[in-house]
mmCIF file of all heavy atoms in Angstrom:
data_model
loop_
_atom_site.group_PDB
_atom_site.id
_atom_site.type_symbol
_atom_site.label_atom_id
_atom_site.label_comp_id
_atom_site.label_asym_id
_atom_site.label_seq_id
_atom_site.Cartn_x
_atom_site.Cartn_y
_atom_site.Cartn_z
ATOM 1 N N MET A 14 0.887 -1.164 -0.036
ATOM 2 C CA MET A 14 0.007 0.001 0.034
ATOM 3 C C MET A 14 0.780 1.238 0.020
ATOM 4 O O MET A 14 1.790 1.290 0.794
ATOM 5 C CB MET A 14 -0.896 -0.070 1.248
ATOM 6 C CG MET A 14 -2.019 1.013 1.163
ATOM 7 S SD MET A 14 -3.040 0.849 2.682
ATOM 8 C CE MET A 14 -3.771 -0.724 2.480
ATOM 9 N N PRO A 15 0.605 2.128 -0.872
ATOM 10 C CA PRO A 15 1.438 3.332 -0.998
ATOM 11 C C PRO A 15 1.292 4.267 0.230
ATOM 12 O O PRO A 15 0.163 4.384 0.678
ATOM 13 C CB PRO A 15 1.075 4.079 -2.178
ATOM 14 C CG PRO A 15 -0.324 3.551 -2.510
ATOM 15 C CD PRO A 15 -0.390 2.124 -1.934
ATOM 16 N N ALA A 16 2.364 4.906 0.603
ATOM 17 C CA ALA A 16 2.183 5.762 1.685
ATOM 18 C C ALA A 16 2.612 7.109 1.210
ATOM 19 O O ALA A 16 3.563 7.297 0.519
ATOM 20 C CB ALA A 16 3.158 5.352 2.903
ATOM 21 N N TYR A 17 1.845 8.149 1.690
ATOM 22 C CA TYR A 17 2.127 9.488 1.244
ATOM 23 C C TYR A 17 2.377 10.350 2.465
ATOM 24 O O TYR A 17 1.589 10.203 3.480
ATOM 25 C CB TYR A 17 0.999 10.102 0.395
ATOM 26 C CG TYR A 17 0.718 9.313 -0.843
ATOM 27 C CD1 TYR A 17 -0.229 8.427 -0.946
ATOM 28 C CD2 TYR A 17 1.601 9.572 -1.948
ATOM 29 C CE1 TYR A 17 -0.581 7.764 -2.050
ATOM 30 C CE2 TYR A 17 1.353 8.777 -3.083
ATOM 31 C CZ TYR A 17 0.274 7.927 -3.146
ATOM 32 O OH TYR A 17 0.078 7.206 -4.355
ATOM 33 N N GLU A 18 3.394 11.241 2.354
ATOM 34 C CA GLU A 18 3.663 12.022 3.587
ATOM 35 C C GLU A 18 3.044 13.430 3.329
ATOM 36 O O GLU A 18 3.149 14.003 2.269
ATOM 37 C CB GLU A 18 5.170 12.176 3.814
ATOM 38 C CG GLU A 18 5.452 12.914 5.025
ATOM 39 C CD GLU A 18 6.863 12.957 5.419
ATOM 40 O OE1 GLU A 18 7.705 12.459 4.557
ATOM 41 O OE2 GLU A 18 7.224 13.358 6.524
ATOM 42 N N TYR A 19 2.277 13.937 4.336
ATOM 43 C CA TYR A 19 1.727 15.226 4.260
ATOM 44 C C TYR A 19 2.029 16.070 5.453
ATOM 45 O O TYR A 19 2.474 15.569 6.496
ATOM 46 C CB TYR A 19 0.126 14.996 4.241
ATOM 47 C CG TYR A 19 -0.325 14.538 2.961
ATOM 48 C CD1 TYR A 19 -0.411 13.140 2.742
ATOM 49 C CD2 TYR A 19 -0.894 15.409 1.924
ATOM 50 C CE1 TYR A 19 -0.928 12.618 1.459
ATOM 51 C CE2 TYR A 19 -1.327 14.901 0.816
ATOM 52 C CZ TYR A 19 -1.388 13.567 0.493
ATOM 53 O OH TYR A 19 -1.846 12.946 -0.652
ATOM 54 N N LYS A 20 1.861 17.354 5.219
ATOM 55 C CA LYS A 20 2.132 18.294 6.327
ATOM 56 C C LYS A 20 0.960 19.152 6.411
ATOM 57 O O LYS A 20 0.438 19.650 5.512
ATOM 58 C CB LYS A 20 3.358 19.131 5.919
ATOM 59 C CG LYS A 20 3.579 20.118 7.101
ATOM 60 C CD LYS A 20 5.019 20.857 6.735
ATOM 61 C CE LYS A 20 5.311 21.840 7.833
ATOM 62 N NZ LYS A 20 6.635 22.458 7.705
ATOM 63 N N CYS A 21 0.493 19.344 7.675
ATOM 64 C CA CYS A 21 -0.531 20.206 7.963
ATOM 65 C C CYS A 21 -0.036 21.615 7.970
ATOM 66 O O CYS A 21 0.835 21.924 8.712
ATOM 67 C CB CYS A 21 -1.233 19.850 9.297
ATOM 68 S SG CYS A 21 -2.544 20.989 9.764
ATOM 69 N N LEU A 22 -0.758 22.494 7.267
ATOM 70 C CA LEU A 22 -0.288 23.852 7.159
ATOM 71 C C LEU A 22 -0.847 24.620 8.341
ATOM 72 O O LEU A 22 -0.414 25.826 8.505
ATOM 73 C CB LEU A 22 -0.720 24.495 5.775
ATOM 74 C CG LEU A 22 -0.195 23.742 4.630
ATOM 75 C CD1 LEU A 22 -0.730 24.438 3.371
ATOM 76 C CD2 LEU A 22 1.295 23.775 4.545
ATOM 77 N N LYS A 23 -1.690 23.998 9.048
ATOM 78 C CA LYS A 23 -2.283 24.768 10.123
ATOM 79 C C LYS A 23 -1.442 24.593 11.558
ATOM 80 O O LYS A 23 -1.168 25.550 12.105
ATOM 81 C CB LYS A 23 -3.777 24.311 10.331
ATOM 82 C CG LYS A 23 -4.630 25.210 11.241
ATOM 83 C CD LYS A 23 -5.980 24.686 11.288
ATOM 84 C CE LYS A 23 -6.762 25.603 12.182
ATOM 85 N NZ LYS A 23 -8.200 25.136 12.263
ATOM 86 N N CYS A 24 -1.108 23.310 11.757
ATOM 87 C CA CYS A 24 -0.467 23.122 13.000
ATOM 88 C C CYS A 24 0.949 22.487 12.787
ATOM 89 O O CYS A 24 1.729 22.142 13.693
ATOM 90 C CB CYS A 24 -1.225 22.109 13.873
ATOM 91 S SG CYS A 24 -1.361 20.513 13.341
ATOM 92 N N ASN A 25 1.391 22.476 11.531
ATOM 93 C CA ASN A 25 2.699 21.972 11.118
ATOM 94 C C ASN A 25 3.010 20.493 11.508
ATOM 95 O O ASN A 25 4.048 20.183 11.721
ATOM 96 C CB ASN A 25 3.775 22.814 11.703
ATOM 97 C CG ASN A 25 3.897 24.193 11.057
ATOM 98 O OD1 ASN A 25 3.553 24.265 9.817
ATOM 99 N ND2 ASN A 25 4.216 25.251 11.743
ATOM 100 N N GLU A 26 1.848 19.755 11.608
ATOM 101 C CA GLU A 26 2.039 18.450 11.947
ATOM 102 C C GLU A 26 2.330 17.533 10.759
ATOM 103 O O GLU A 26 1.677 17.702 9.716
ATOM 104 C CB GLU A 26 0.747 17.898 12.624
ATOM 105 C CG GLU A 26 0.798 16.347 12.889
ATOM 106 C CD GLU A 26 1.503 16.090 14.258
ATOM 107 O OE1 GLU A 26 2.036 16.992 14.795
ATOM 108 O OE2 GLU A 26 1.503 14.905 14.653
ATOM 109 N N ASN A 27 3.377 16.714 10.742
ATOM 110 C CA ASN A 27 3.733 15.857 9.645
ATOM 111 C C ASN A 27 2.998 14.454 9.847
ATOM 112 O O ASN A 27 3.014 13.998 10.988
ATOM 113 C CB ASN A 27 5.175 15.662 9.508
ATOM 114 C CG ASN A 27 5.867 16.789 8.774
ATOM 115 O OD1 ASN A 27 5.469 17.892 8.855
ATOM 116 N ND2 ASN A 27 6.893 16.593 8.023
ATOM 117 N N PHE A 28 2.481 13.923 8.895
ATOM 118 C CA PHE A 28 1.797 12.627 9.036
ATOM 119 C C PHE A 28 1.777 11.874 7.774
ATOM 120 O O PHE A 28 2.030 12.428 6.656
ATOM 121 C CB PHE A 28 0.370 12.814 9.585
ATOM 122 C CG PHE A 28 -0.527 13.763 8.689
ATOM 123 C CD1 PHE A 28 -1.460 13.148 7.833
ATOM 124 C CD2 PHE A 28 -0.480 15.063 8.885
ATOM 125 C CE1 PHE A 28 -2.216 13.996 6.983
ATOM 126 C CE2 PHE A 28 -1.228 15.902 8.083
ATOM 127 C CZ PHE A 28 -2.145 15.431 7.130
ATOM 128 N N ILE A 29 1.653 10.513 7.915
ATOM 129 C CA ILE A 29 1.714 9.678 6.763
ATOM 130 C C ILE A 29 0.289 9.095 6.497
ATOM 131 O O ILE A 29 -0.414 8.803 7.487
ATOM 132 C CB ILE A 29 2.598 8.385 7.101
ATOM 133 C CG1 ILE A 29 4.044 8.908 7.513
ATOM 134 C CG2 ILE A 29 2.666 7.430 5.862
ATOM 135 C CD1 ILE A 29 4.853 9.327 6.344
ATOM 136 N N ILE A 30 -0.077 9.190 5.313
ATOM 137 C CA ILE A 30 -1.329 8.678 4.863
ATOM 138 C C ILE A 30 -1.190 7.418 4.030
ATOM 139 O O ILE A 30 -0.386 7.456 2.998
ATOM 140 C CB ILE A 30 -2.212 9.657 4.155
ATOM 141 C CG1 ILE A 30 -2.445 10.919 4.977
ATOM 142 C CG2 ILE A 30 -3.497 9.116 3.629
ATOM 143 C CD1 ILE A 30 -3.534 10.755 6.067
ATOM 144 N N TYR A 31 -1.841 6.337 4.291
ATOM 145 C CA TYR A 31 -1.761 5.194 3.499
ATOM 146 C C TYR A 31 -2.995 5.094 2.660
ATOM 147 O O TYR A 31 -4.164 5.108 3.071
ATOM 148 C CB TYR A 31 -1.711 3.920 4.392
ATOM 149 C CG TYR A 31 -0.432 3.814 5.164
ATOM 150 C CD1 TYR A 31 -0.320 4.273 6.423
ATOM 151 C CD2 TYR A 31 0.795 3.193 4.620
ATOM 152 C CE1 TYR A 31 0.745 4.223 7.228
ATOM 153 C CE2 TYR A 31 1.870 3.202 5.282
ATOM 154 C CZ TYR A 31 1.929 3.607 6.592
ATOM 155 O OH TYR A 31 3.096 3.537 7.306
ATOM 156 N N ILE A 32 -2.897 5.146 1.325
ATOM 157 C CA ILE A 32 -3.970 5.175 0.431
ATOM 158 C C ILE A 32 -3.890 4.001 -0.581
ATOM 159 O O ILE A 32 -2.867 3.892 -1.246
ATOM 160 C CB ILE A 32 -4.008 6.535 -0.262
ATOM 161 C CG1 ILE A 32 -3.860 7.680 0.568
ATOM 162 C CG2 ILE A 32 -5.261 6.627 -1.132
ATOM 163 C CD1 ILE A 32 -3.665 9.018 -0.045
ATOM 164 N N SER A 33 -4.885 3.224 -0.595
ATOM 165 C CA SER A 33 -4.933 2.279 -1.650
ATOM 166 C C SER A 33 -5.345 2.851 -2.941
ATOM 167 O O SER A 33 -6.070 3.927 -2.922
ATOM 168 C CB SER A 33 -5.923 1.093 -1.319
ATOM 169 O OG SER A 33 -7.230 1.655 -1.265
ATOM 170 N N LEU A 34 -4.869 2.379 -3.990
ATOM 171 C CA LEU A 34 -5.056 2.998 -5.334
ATOM 172 C C LEU A 34 -6.473 3.358 -5.548
ATOM 173 O O LEU A 34 -6.800 4.394 -6.149
ATOM 174 C CB LEU A 34 -4.474 2.088 -6.410
ATOM 175 C CG LEU A 34 -2.987 2.028 -6.378
ATOM 176 C CD1 LEU A 34 -2.399 1.104 -7.511
ATOM 177 C CD2 LEU A 34 -2.228 3.497 -6.525
ATOM 178 N N LYS A 35 -7.354 2.399 -5.377
ATOM 179 C CA LYS A 35 -8.818 2.765 -5.715
ATOM 180 C C LYS A 35 -9.486 3.571 -4.724
ATOM 181 O O LYS A 35 -10.586 4.091 -4.906
ATOM 182 C CB LYS A 35 -9.491 1.454 -5.855
ATOM 183 C CG LYS A 35 -9.625 0.640 -4.741
ATOM 184 C CD LYS A 35 -10.420 -0.738 -5.127
ATOM 185 C CE LYS A 35 -10.500 -1.631 -4.031
ATOM 186 N NZ LYS A 35 -11.196 -2.910 -4.386
ATOM 187 N N GLU A 36 -8.809 3.784 -3.619
ATOM 188 C CA GLU A 36 -9.580 4.695 -2.608
ATOM 189 C C GLU A 36 -8.877 6.057 -2.596
ATOM 190 O O GLU A 36 -9.193 6.932 -1.794
ATOM 191 C CB GLU A 36 -9.360 4.078 -1.156
ATOM 192 C CG GLU A 36 -10.256 2.947 -0.916
ATOM 193 C CD GLU A 36 -10.088 2.390 0.474
ATOM 194 O OE1 GLU A 36 -9.472 3.088 1.328
ATOM 195 O OE2 GLU A 36 -10.421 1.279 0.642
ATOM 196 N N LYS A 37 -7.996 6.267 -3.540
ATOM 197 C CA LYS A 37 -7.264 7.578 -3.503
ATOM 198 C C LYS A 37 -8.198 8.657 -3.776
ATOM 199 O O LYS A 37 -8.856 8.854 -4.753
ATOM 200 C CB LYS A 37 -6.139 7.576 -4.686
ATOM 201 C CG LYS A 37 -5.282 8.753 -4.523
ATOM 202 C CD LYS A 37 -4.130 8.630 -5.575
ATOM 203 C CE LYS A 37 -3.211 9.869 -5.444
ATOM 204 N NZ LYS A 37 -2.049 9.706 -6.244
ATOM 205 N N ASN A 38 -8.325 9.570 -2.809
ATOM 206 C CA ASN A 38 -9.254 10.644 -2.804
ATOM 207 C C ASN A 38 -8.655 11.741 -1.881
ATOM 208 O O ASN A 38 -8.780 11.750 -0.672
ATOM 209 C CB ASN A 38 -10.599 10.297 -2.381
ATOM 210 C CG ASN A 38 -11.503 11.528 -2.534
ATOM 211 O OD1 ASN A 38 -11.108 12.555 -2.780
ATOM 212 N ND2 ASN A 38 -12.760 11.202 -2.358
ATOM 213 N N GLU A 39 -7.860 12.658 -2.415
ATOM 214 C CA GLU A 39 -7.154 13.603 -1.586
ATOM 215 C C GLU A 39 -8.062 14.600 -0.983
ATOM 216 O O GLU A 39 -7.676 15.350 -0.154
ATOM 217 C CB GLU A 39 -6.152 14.373 -2.531
ATOM 218 C CG GLU A 39 -5.187 13.331 -3.190
ATOM 219 C CD GLU A 39 -3.862 13.968 -3.595
ATOM 220 O OE1 GLU A 39 -3.670 15.149 -3.250
ATOM 221 O OE2 GLU A 39 -3.032 13.293 -4.178
ATOM 222 N N GLU A 40 -9.329 14.553 -1.418
ATOM 223 C CA GLU A 40 -10.314 15.647 -0.847
ATOM 224 C C GLU A 40 -10.570 15.224 0.578
ATOM 225 O O GLU A 40 -11.081 16.084 1.339
ATOM 226 C CB GLU A 40 -11.551 15.633 -1.676
ATOM 227 C CG GLU A 40 -11.341 16.259 -3.050
ATOM 228 C CD GLU A 40 -12.505 16.305 -3.823
ATOM 229 O OE1 GLU A 40 -13.618 16.446 -3.305
ATOM 230 O OE2 GLU A 40 -12.480 16.297 -5.078
ATOM 231 N N ILE A 41 -10.421 13.944 1.018
ATOM 232 C CA ILE A 41 -10.828 13.596 2.323
ATOM 233 C C ILE A 41 -9.649 13.721 3.345
ATOM 234 O O ILE A 41 -9.704 13.283 4.355
ATOM 235 C CB ILE A 41 -11.467 12.253 2.377
ATOM 236 C CG1 ILE A 41 -10.404 11.151 1.914
ATOM 237 C CG2 ILE A 41 -12.656 12.136 1.470
ATOM 238 C CD1 ILE A 41 -10.967 9.731 2.124
ATOM 239 N N LEU A 42 -8.491 14.133 2.784
ATOM 240 C CA LEU A 42 -7.334 14.111 3.713
ATOM 241 C C LEU A 42 -7.477 15.137 4.788
ATOM 242 O O LEU A 42 -7.880 16.244 4.578
ATOM 243 C CB LEU A 42 -6.077 14.452 2.895
ATOM 244 C CG LEU A 42 -5.645 13.370 1.972
ATOM 245 C CD1 LEU A 42 -4.475 13.957 1.058
ATOM 246 C CD2 LEU A 42 -5.228 12.193 2.704
ATOM 247 N N LYS A 43 -7.229 14.674 5.996
ATOM 248 C CA LYS A 43 -7.362 15.543 7.159
ATOM 249 C C LYS A 43 -6.171 15.406 8.094
ATOM 250 O O LYS A 43 -5.633 14.206 8.111
ATOM 251 C CB LYS A 43 -8.624 15.267 7.935
ATOM 252 C CG LYS A 43 -9.913 15.769 7.300
ATOM 253 C CD LYS A 43 -11.002 15.793 8.289
ATOM 254 C CE LYS A 43 -11.261 14.402 8.822
ATOM 255 N NZ LYS A 43 -12.534 14.349 9.738
ATOM 256 N N CYS A 44 -5.738 16.423 8.778
ATOM 257 C CA CYS A 44 -4.734 16.302 9.794
ATOM 258 C C CYS A 44 -5.281 15.518 10.924
ATOM 259 O O CYS A 44 -6.349 15.757 11.383
ATOM 260 C CB CYS A 44 -4.334 17.810 10.180
ATOM 261 S SG CYS A 44 -3.280 17.746 11.485
ATOM 262 N N PRO A 45 -4.559 14.489 11.255
ATOM 263 C CA PRO A 45 -5.016 13.689 12.454
ATOM 264 C C PRO A 45 -4.869 14.344 13.765
ATOM 265 O O PRO A 45 -5.498 13.948 14.734
ATOM 266 C CB PRO A 45 -3.991 12.417 12.375
ATOM 267 C CG PRO A 45 -2.892 12.951 11.703
ATOM 268 C CD PRO A 45 -3.272 13.945 10.712
ATOM 269 N N LYS A 46 -4.255 15.494 13.748
ATOM 270 C CA LYS A 46 -3.975 16.190 15.013
ATOM 271 C C LYS A 46 -5.067 17.200 15.191
ATOM 272 O O LYS A 46 -5.716 17.277 16.347
ATOM 273 C CB LYS A 46 -2.656 16.808 14.969
ATOM 274 C CG LYS A 46 -2.149 17.406 16.370
ATOM 275 C CD LYS A 46 -0.775 17.885 16.254
ATOM 276 C CE LYS A 46 -0.360 18.515 17.608
ATOM 277 N NZ LYS A 46 1.085 19.035 17.512
ATOM 278 N N CYS A 47 -5.311 18.081 14.279
ATOM 279 C CA CYS A 47 -6.279 19.243 14.391
ATOM 280 C C CYS A 47 -7.420 19.002 13.514
ATOM 281 O O CYS A 47 -8.437 19.823 13.692
ATOM 282 C CB CYS A 47 -5.526 20.526 14.218
ATOM 283 S SG CYS A 47 -5.105 20.930 12.525
ATOM 284 N N GLY A 48 -7.431 18.067 12.568
ATOM 285 C CA GLY A 48 -8.612 17.891 11.816
ATOM 286 C C GLY A 48 -8.720 18.815 10.602
ATOM 287 O O GLY A 48 -9.664 18.754 9.930
ATOM 288 N N SER A 49 -7.759 19.706 10.434
ATOM 289 C CA SER A 49 -7.737 20.705 9.318
ATOM 290 C C SER A 49 -7.566 19.859 7.981
ATOM 291 O O SER A 49 -6.806 18.895 7.911
ATOM 292 C CB SER A 49 -6.649 21.620 9.448
ATOM 293 O OG SER A 49 -6.541 22.378 8.337
ATOM 294 N N THR A 50 -8.183 20.334 7.018
ATOM 295 C CA THR A 50 -7.961 19.764 5.672
ATOM 296 C C THR A 50 -6.969 20.610 4.865
ATOM 297 O O THR A 50 -6.771 20.338 3.740
ATOM 298 C CB THR A 50 -9.353 19.711 4.919
ATOM 299 O OG1 THR A 50 -9.852 20.994 4.886
ATOM 300 C CG2 THR A 50 -10.311 18.740 5.503
ATOM 301 N N ASN A 51 -6.365 21.524 5.495
ATOM 302 C CA ASN A 51 -5.416 22.392 4.868
ATOM 303 C C ASN A 51 -3.991 21.702 4.985
ATOM 304 O O ASN A 51 -3.174 22.050 5.740
ATOM 305 C CB ASN A 51 -5.353 23.787 5.562
ATOM 306 C CG ASN A 51 -4.523 24.773 4.759
ATOM 307 O OD1 ASN A 51 -4.182 24.456 3.559
ATOM 308 N ND2 ASN A 51 -4.246 25.859 5.320
ATOM 309 N N VAL A 52 -3.764 20.564 4.186
ATOM 310 C CA VAL A 52 -2.601 19.807 4.225
ATOM 311 C C VAL A 52 -1.911 19.841 2.925
ATOM 312 O O VAL A 52 -2.562 20.097 1.865
ATOM 313 C CB VAL A 52 -2.958 18.308 4.614
ATOM 314 C CG1 VAL A 52 -3.573 18.307 5.956
ATOM 315 C CG2 VAL A 52 -3.807 17.745 3.581
ATOM 316 N N GLN A 53 -0.700 19.733 2.966
ATOM 317 C CA GLN A 53 0.225 19.765 1.726
ATOM 318 C C GLN A 53 0.935 18.519 1.530
ATOM 319 O O GLN A 53 1.618 17.975 2.476
ATOM 320 C CB GLN A 53 1.041 20.945 1.745
ATOM 321 C CG GLN A 53 1.858 21.223 0.530
ATOM 322 C CD GLN A 53 2.640 22.450 0.577
ATOM 323 O OE1 GLN A 53 3.412 22.687 1.579
ATOM 324 N NE2 GLN A 53 2.478 23.444 -0.360
ATOM 325 N N ARG A 54 0.960 18.010 0.307
ATOM 326 C CA ARG A 54 1.794 16.760 0.087
ATOM 327 C C ARG A 54 3.266 17.057 0.207
ATOM 328 O O ARG A 54 3.700 18.036 -0.326
ATOM 329 C CB ARG A 54 1.421 16.265 -1.284
ATOM 330 C CG ARG A 54 2.289 15.170 -1.809
ATOM 331 C CD ARG A 54 1.623 13.768 -1.452
ATOM 332 N NE ARG A 54 2.426 12.783 -1.987
ATOM 333 C CZ ARG A 54 2.063 12.206 -3.198
ATOM 334 N NH1 ARG A 54 1.091 12.666 -3.925
ATOM 335 N NH2 ARG A 54 2.805 11.209 -3.727
ATOM 336 N N ILE A 55 3.967 16.182 0.686
ATOM 337 C CA ILE A 55 5.420 16.360 0.863
ATOM 338 C C ILE A 55 6.057 15.450 -0.109
ATOM 339 O O ILE A 55 5.861 14.170 -0.041
ATOM 340 C CB ILE A 55 5.931 16.175 2.326
ATOM 341 C CG1 ILE A 55 5.312 17.040 3.277
ATOM 342 C CG2 ILE A 55 7.407 16.107 2.298
ATOM 343 C CD1 ILE A 55 5.668 16.849 4.667
ATOM 344 N N TYR A 56 6.859 15.945 -1.012
ATOM 345 C CA TYR A 56 7.478 15.113 -2.009
ATOM 346 C C TYR A 56 8.952 14.840 -1.454
ATOM 347 O O TYR A 56 9.822 15.656 -1.565
ATOM 348 C CB TYR A 56 7.573 15.765 -3.363
ATOM 349 C CG TYR A 56 6.189 15.813 -3.880
ATOM 350 C CD1 TYR A 56 5.346 16.970 -3.774
ATOM 351 C CD2 TYR A 56 5.730 14.724 -4.629
ATOM 352 C CE1 TYR A 56 4.120 17.043 -4.225
ATOM 353 C CE2 TYR A 56 4.385 14.863 -5.136
ATOM 354 C CZ TYR A 56 3.587 15.928 -4.963
ATOM 355 O OH TYR A 56 2.385 16.096 -5.541
ATOM 356 N N SER A 57 9.184 13.734 -0.825
ATOM 357 C CA SER A 57 10.481 13.425 -0.336
ATOM 358 C C SER A 57 11.438 13.100 -1.438
ATOM 359 O O SER A 57 11.037 12.509 -2.452
ATOM 360 C CB SER A 57 10.441 12.266 0.674
ATOM 361 O OG SER A 57 9.488 12.512 1.677
ATOM 362 N N PRO A 58 12.622 13.613 -1.414
ATOM 363 C CA PRO A 58 13.597 13.364 -2.419
ATOM 364 C C PRO A 58 14.013 11.875 -2.465
ATOM 365 O O PRO A 58 14.515 11.410 -3.463
ATOM 366 C CB PRO A 58 14.810 14.270 -2.005
ATOM 367 C CG PRO A 58 14.679 14.401 -0.580
ATOM 368 C CD PRO A 58 13.145 14.427 -0.308
ATOM 369 N N PHE A 59 13.767 11.229 -1.472
ATOM 370 C CA PHE A 59 14.056 9.731 -1.383
ATOM 371 C C PHE A 59 13.194 9.073 -0.354
ATOM 372 O O PHE A 59 12.680 9.829 0.501
ATOM 373 C CB PHE A 59 15.598 9.480 -1.073
ATOM 374 C CG PHE A 59 16.002 10.105 0.227
ATOM 375 C CD1 PHE A 59 15.904 9.388 1.333
ATOM 376 C CD2 PHE A 59 16.508 11.408 0.239
ATOM 377 C CE1 PHE A 59 16.269 9.938 2.517
ATOM 378 C CE2 PHE A 59 16.993 11.946 1.398
ATOM 379 C CZ PHE A 59 16.830 11.259 2.638
ATOM 380 N N HIS A 60 13.127 7.802 -0.442
ATOM 381 C CA HIS A 60 12.289 7.068 0.558
ATOM 382 C C HIS A 60 13.011 6.890 1.770
ATOM 383 O O HIS A 60 13.883 6.161 1.888
ATOM 384 C CB HIS A 60 11.857 5.648 -0.014
ATOM 385 C CG HIS A 60 10.524 5.832 -0.786
ATOM 386 N ND1 HIS A 60 9.362 5.856 -0.169
ATOM 387 C CD2 HIS A 60 10.257 5.942 -2.171
ATOM 388 C CE1 HIS A 60 8.381 5.936 -1.154
ATOM 389 N NE2 HIS A 60 8.976 5.937 -2.277
ATOM 390 N N ALA A 61 12.592 7.615 2.823
ATOM 391 C CA ALA A 61 13.222 7.394 4.083
ATOM 392 C C ALA A 61 12.585 6.201 4.764
ATOM 393 O O ALA A 61 11.316 6.062 4.882
ATOM 394 C CB ALA A 61 12.975 8.637 4.944
ATOM 395 N N VAL A 62 13.401 5.343 5.194
ATOM 396 C CA VAL A 62 12.936 4.163 5.843
ATOM 397 C C VAL A 62 13.127 4.189 7.322
ATOM 398 O O VAL A 62 13.107 3.115 7.975
ATOM 399 C CB VAL A 62 13.627 2.859 5.229
ATOM 400 C CG1 VAL A 62 13.121 2.576 3.832
ATOM 401 C CG2 VAL A 62 15.098 3.029 5.205
ATOM 402 N N THR A 63 13.263 5.350 7.866
ATOM 403 C CA THR A 63 13.387 5.418 9.248
ATOM 404 C C THR A 63 12.019 5.129 9.928
ATOM 405 O O THR A 63 10.945 5.752 9.620
ATOM 406 C CB THR A 63 13.661 6.868 9.623
ATOM 407 O OG1 THR A 63 12.801 7.757 9.062
ATOM 408 C CG2 THR A 63 15.119 7.171 9.210
ATOM 409 N N SER A 64 12.032 4.054 10.686
ATOM 410 C CA SER A 64 10.775 3.691 11.379
ATOM 411 C C SER A 64 10.791 4.109 12.864
ATOM 412 O O SER A 64 11.098 3.329 13.686
ATOM 413 C CB SER A 64 10.551 2.178 11.261
ATOM 414 O OG SER A 64 11.611 1.532 11.744
ATOM 415 N N LYS A 65 10.624 5.321 13.005
ATOM 416 C CA LYS A 65 10.607 5.862 14.362
ATOM 417 C C LYS A 65 9.293 5.559 15.008
ATOM 418 O O LYS A 65 8.235 5.904 14.569
ATOM 419 C CB LYS A 65 10.643 7.418 14.329
ATOM 420 C CG LYS A 65 12.061 7.922 14.405
ATOM 421 C CD LYS A 65 12.072 9.410 14.597
ATOM 422 C CE LYS A 65 13.439 10.107 14.175
ATOM 423 N NZ LYS A 65 13.321 11.528 14.216
ATOM 424 N N LYS A 66 9.413 4.964 16.156
ATOM 425 C CA LYS A 66 8.158 4.661 16.892
ATOM 426 C C LYS A 66 8.114 5.492 18.142
ATOM 427 O O LYS A 66 9.015 5.594 18.886
ATOM 428 C CB LYS A 66 8.133 3.108 17.225
ATOM 429 C CG LYS A 66 8.051 2.265 16.000
ATOM 430 C CD LYS A 66 7.660 0.832 16.251
ATOM 431 C CE LYS A 66 7.635 0.012 14.957
ATOM 432 N NZ LYS A 66 7.470 -1.333 15.134
ATOM 433 N N SER A 67 7.010 6.195 18.179
ATOM 434 C CA SER A 67 6.748 7.108 19.239
ATOM 435 C C SER A 67 7.787 8.344 19.147
ATOM 436 O O SER A 67 8.310 8.861 18.978
ATOM 437 C CB SER A 67 6.841 6.544 20.668
ATOM 438 O OG SER A 67 8.191 6.443 21.105
HETATM 439 ZN ZN1 LIG B 3 -3.066 20.007 11.905
#
């Protein structure tokens, strides 16, 4: 499942969204922290495989 990184422009929270291809609908993207839909896709120059937990 592809993962996309987004940044909330309201609270500056970075978050990862997992979207299956047929469910891809960027209109429903919301910040998990503040609920804002004012989010921006982050295009990482490379795939970071850092799995930071907590
Ligand atoms: Zn937010």
Side-chain angles (χ1 to χ4, degrees):
M14 194 179 292
Y17 300 100
E18 187 171 10
Y19 287 85
K20 179 175 184 172
C21 176
L22 300 180
K23 191 173 180 183
C24 68
N25 287 328
E26 177 82 353
N27 281 30
F28 54 99
I29 304 285
I30 300 285
Y31 295 92
I32 308 174
S33 66
L34 290 177
K35 61 182 177 181
E36 286 179 18
K37 187 171 182 182
N38 183 353
E39 303 204 1
E40 292 180 30
I41 62 169
L42 289 174
K43 286 195 300 186
C44 171
K46 189 176 180 181
C47 72
S49 173
T50 53
N51 191 14
V52 299
Q53 184 176 56
R54 174 87 174 271
I55 297 174
Y56 295 94
S57 304
F59 57 88
H60 270 280
V62 285
T63 52
S64 58
K65 270 189 196 171
K66 295 191 175 173
S67 82

